[in-house]
Amino acid sequence: MEHESLFSLSNPEFWVLVALVLFFGLLVVLKVLPGALFGALDAHAGKIKAELDEAQQLREEAQALLADVKAQREDAERQAAGMLEAAKADAKRLAEEAKEKLEEQIKRRAEMAERKIAQAEAQATADVKAAAVDLAAQAAEAVLTARLSGLKSDPLVDTAIGQMGAKLQ
């Protein structure tokens, strides 16, 4: 068998090659192949661009959200610092108020104790005076009784002595 060349008319592979070239040529002439191919590529490129745009948008939203969270955190930290300072100031103020109240209470109790001491002194002085008056009245009565014992009893003197004892108390 002779070896036939690829370009001979009796070779079936030649006709397959011719049919394939004609098919692709027809597709090119009818603008099916480049249009479909470029259309598919354009559609795929459009999808990729849309996904990239969406990814960019998501990234921008995430960055905005991150900035918002950072701002909220900073605000919360400022508020916490303010609350801490206010609590310290309140604690200091309460401590000063408690100290003032304690000093005032100590002062009032000292004044009350001084008044009680003064009252006790006055009561003791009054008791001593009353005891001295009673003792003086008893002594005067004893002296007058001793002087008048030899004399007749005078009802007037007895009444005056009784009144004197009552008046001296």
Side-chain angles (χ1 to χ4, degrees):
M1 199 167 191
E2 281 183 37
H3 199 292
E4 296 182 25
S5 80
L6 180 65
F7 294 109
S8 92
L9 294 177
S10 62
N11 187 356
E13 293 168 354
F14 171 74
W15 289 110
V16 169
L17 178 65
V18 169
L20 186 63
V21 168
L22 284 176
F23 177 73
F24 281 121
L26 183 63
L27 288 178
V28 169
V29 168
L30 295 176
K31 297 185 180 179
V32 174
L33 182 64
L37 181 63
F38 291 136
L41 289 176
D42 286 343
H44 190 63
K47 282 184 192 178
I48 290 173
K49 184 171 179 356
E51 288 176 1
L52 286 174
D53 290 343
E54 183 181 354
Q56 181 65 27
Q57 183 182 2
L58 288 175
R59 181 175 185 218
E60 290 171 359
E61 288 176 4
Q63 286 177 341
L65 185 61
L66 178 64
D68 187 42
V69 168
K70 283 182 180 179
Q72 287 178 357
R73 186 193 73 201
E74 290 172 0
D75 186 43
E77 287 175 355
R78 278 193 300 274
Q79 286 179 355
M83 291 170 74
L84 183 61
E85 289 300 319
K88 285 180 182 179
D90 285 347
K92 185 176 180 181
R93 182 183 49 81
L94 289 174
E96 290 173 359
E97 287 177 4
K99 183 179 177 183
E100 290 174 5
K101 285 181 182 179
L102 180 63
E103 289 173 356
E104 184 180 312
Q105 189 177 22
I106 289 171
K107 183 179 176 183
R108 276 187 284 135
R109 287 189 179 184
E111 289 173 356
M112 206 168 18
E114 288 174 3
R115 282 194 300 261
K116 284 184 179 181
I117 290 170
Q119 285 177 347
E121 286 177 352
Q123 183 65 37
T125 303
D127 288 347
V128 168
K129 284 181 181 179
V133 168
D134 284 344
L135 188 59
Q138 288 175 359
E141 186 181 345
V143 168
L144 287 176
T145 304
R147 278 190 190 171
L148 293 175
S149 57
L151 299 174
K152 282 185 162 186
S153 170
D154 186 9
L156 224 88
V157 173
D158 291 340
T159 306
I161 291 173
Q163 285 177 356
M164 185 192 288
K167 286 183 181 179
L168 289 176
Q169 289 182 356

